[in-house]
Every structure is written in structure tokens, then in C-alpha cells.
Amino acid sequence: MRHPLPTLATLPRRLPAVLPGVRLGALLLAGLLAQGVAHAEGREIDLESPPAGAETWASACSLRHAMCVHGAPGTGASALLAALDALDRGWDVHTQALELPPPEADAKPTWDAYLVDGVPEGGRAALSSRDPRGALDRGESFGLIDRMAPPGCPLDVAAARSLAWGSLLRAAPATDAGTARAQTRMLARLATACAGSEEPERAFQAEPERTLVDPDGEARSSGASLFFDWVDGTFAGQPGALVVGTWALAPTTTAPAAWRWTARPTGFDVLGSSLAGALGTDSNLDDVFLQFGIDRGLALPPARVAWHVAWPAHARRLASPVAVAPSGTSYVLVDHAGAPAGANLRVEAMWEDYGRMKWAVVKLDAAGRPLAVLRVTSQPRATSTALTVELIDAVDRFLIVGVNVGSTEHTFDPGQGWWEPHGWVLTLSAG
């Protein structure tokens, strides 16, 4: 079951059109981006080894796929077989229905998964070596699954996530950690139809001002699956196609002796190219960030609001309690109760230089459903904008959405590690 974020069903579905030309598109995109990012540094190439002594553990191997599962000492035969069954079923869905590449084994005939204790969120994969075959970066891996995950949805999701992570390391090993956590959670949920715990999504919604793919905090960065689920459901022609497309169209070429991955292109570079014009003429990734910010503010679990204020009978000024990082969002709720009939709401926004922000005002009814969405226009490098909201007698409250769409100095980089946040000031008055 996919998370119930609003989708824009009428939008054009862009990514499937580029998938048949993946190889050509990847080379073209890499060439276009190479000049400006040739000397950029990506994240460290962090290699891991299988658990010590795992070669002596009890194991079971699939009769249908090149895969084995190994249990730490004390793992019962039933747990071992249940994990193998979950991996077998997950492998079928990932490689057939979702068309993900199978994980690449490390110089072995089988891809190995290990049942151990304390695996965050149940399952992941670890990079064991770089695949020297071919010019583009590829990674070899092994899986880690929490052996305490009970059979059923918890074990299915853990197995599916380890497989998805192995696929990602094979196809796009330079992917930043925050994006990897979010995308593998999204794919595991999609592959198993299991909703799982909402803790990551609650953590993500509790700090909307932070960047979408901030790797700090495992729960919060996994909760960013809401973004990839929304983008995939909104723009892709089939489930999972957006993630497959971004992996395929974001190839990196890292020198054999390097200790960091090449930083670009990233999946967000692919999104910026693929979704240009998807939300209307001249729309770009900034507009995608704004639309997600709007829909995120209407989703469950609810996003934390920076301010919730009464109708401004007298003009009042609000400052951002938390500065907004690139791709992050601030929310302000304004009640309509107390406004005289025929009144208007004047919204004036100012923000710090070197940051770019986009704003919208959503009219909500008493049930929290959107009646209208008003996007506030501004110049590309402006630091202020304003809008008078009219025809508001039927409105219960207003959701003001402010999205930091990135620096004026460079495009959004999910692997940057530290993103400069910017504050804002909002002036509200009755028109």
C-alpha cells in the first residue's frame, strides 16, 4: 500500500519516455554535467566486510536465484528458511515487476545475506567492493537482515529493503546516504505492500525545515521516502520507474585509486532535467519542490507548523523559528475565524539573501481539505514577495507554504552534507 500523499493525476508522465534510451541519455547527461563538476568530491567510498566467522554459519541457498542466506550462531532453521523465502519473493518482485537490477555478488556465484542482530530498520546492504568491469561505477555488496524481524510484513520489508539497497549499490553506488535510505524504504514498501511503522515518516514530518535527504538521523532520512513516493506516484508511468530511471541516468565514473566517489551527476540532476516543464511551461525542479511542499503540508502524518495564529485583526509580523535549508519547507497556519465578511488576507514575505524561496497560500475548509492553491510569484533572485488573498468567506483557515528551493550560487546537491539555511519574515494583515 502506497502512502496516501496527494498526487497530481493529470500531470504528464515523463520518465518512461526516457527509459528506452537509458544508455544514450546517461552518456549525454554525464557529458553535459562534466565540465562544471569534474573536480567535485563525493562521499567517501566506504567498504565493509561480511560478519566475522560467517563462513561457518548455517546457511540455506535458493533453488531459483543466485542467492544464499546465512544465520548467526543461535539462528533457528525456521528463521533461516523464513528469511530465504522472503528474499526469494522479494527478488521476484524487484527484478520482474519493478525491473530493478539484481544485486551484484562480490566475486562469488551467489549474493549473500546475513541474519544478524541490530540492523537499522530491519535490512540494508553493504558495499563490499567496486566492480572493475566497465567504465561506469558499479558496486558489489552483501545483505544484512535483522534476525529478530518476525515473519510476515516485518521480515518481508527487511528482506526487500536489503535487496533494493543491493540493487542501488550495483547501479548507482555513489548515491548519497540520505537518498539511499529514502529510496530503499520506498521500494521495500512498494514491493511488499506493507505499510510498516510510521515512525520514519513522523520523524520526517516533525522537521520539515530540514533538507529532504539529510542523512542525519536514520528514522528521519528514511522518512524522506515520502518525497520519492510522491514523485514516483506523480510523474512515473509505472511503480518504481522514477527510481530506476534516476539510477540509470546518473552514471558516475570514479578513478580506481580514488577514496571518494565522483560527486555528479546525482539523481536530483536527473530529476531537474527529466521534470523540466512537467508542471507547466517553463516549470523546473524549483516548482517540483514547491508542489511537494504543498502536498506534504496536506499529508498524513501532519507536518509541524512553524506558527499557528489567529486572524490578524491588526497587522502582525512573524519570524521563522527555524531557518529553512534547501529543499526544506516552513508552514504557517492562519485561522479565518474572526474575520469580517468580505475581508481579504494580505501576505508579505521577506527572506535572506543568497537563498531562493517559493511561496504558496492554500485555502482550507473545516475538514482540512484544499479549496484553492494560490502560488505567489516572485523574481528569480528576489528576496521578497506579496499576495492579497481574496474571496475567503468560505475558508476555514489558510496554510502558508514557504519552500527554500536552493542557493543562488549552485544547484541542489544531496551529498553536500551541510546546507546553508535561511530565515524569513512574514507580515500578515487584513485587507
Side-chain angles (χ1 to χ4, degrees), residues 58-106:
S59 63
C61 296
S62 172
L63 298 178
R64 297 190 290 116
H65 305 114
M67 172 184 61
C68 292
V69 61
H70 312 264
T75 303
S78 59
L80 200 65
L81 294 176
L84 180 62
D85 178 60
L87 286 166
D88 260 336
R89 288 183 283 108
W91 192 291
D92 288 338
V93 175
H94 278 75
T95 60
Q96 298 175 29
L98 300 180
E99 299 181 348
L100 302 184
E104 190 76 47
D106 185 8

Side-chain angles (χ1 to χ4, degrees), residues 201-225:
E201 285 72 27
R202 286 194 295 268
F204 179 71
Q205 292 288 69
E207 299 181 282
E209 293 88 359
R210 294 178 67 169
T211 191
L212 291 174
V213 291
D214 191 337
D216 290 341
E218 291 173 352
R220 191 208 168 278
S221 58
S222 288
S225 60

Side-chain angles (χ1 to χ4, degrees), residues 208-209 290 293-298 303-312 316-318 320-321 324 328-336 344-351 357-364 372-376 385-389 395 397-404 424-429:
E209 293 88 359
L290 175 60
I294 294 168
D295 286 353
R296 178 183 183 179
L298 305 174
R304 180 183 55 78
V305 298
W307 291 93
H308 185 173
V309 299
W311 174 259
R316 63 178 303 180
R317 181 167 291 178
L318 309 174
S320 53
V324 192
T329 306
S330 280
Y331 297 102
V332 174
L333 267 178
V334 182
D335 291 332
H336 182 238
N344 300 324
L345 176 65
R346 178 71 176 173
V347 178
E348 300 176 8
M350 299 174 56
W351 58 95
M357 293 198 72
K358 281 184 171 286
W359 295 82
V361 179
V362 184
K363 298 178 178 180
L364 301 174
V373 177
L374 308 175
R375 289 167 179 79
V376 189
T385 189
L387 175 73
T388 299
V389 185
V395 176
R397 56 193 183 277
F398 307 86
L399 179 67
I400 302 173
V401 181
V403 180
N404 182 342
W424 49 261
V425 173
L426 205 61
T427 301
L428 306 174
S429 58

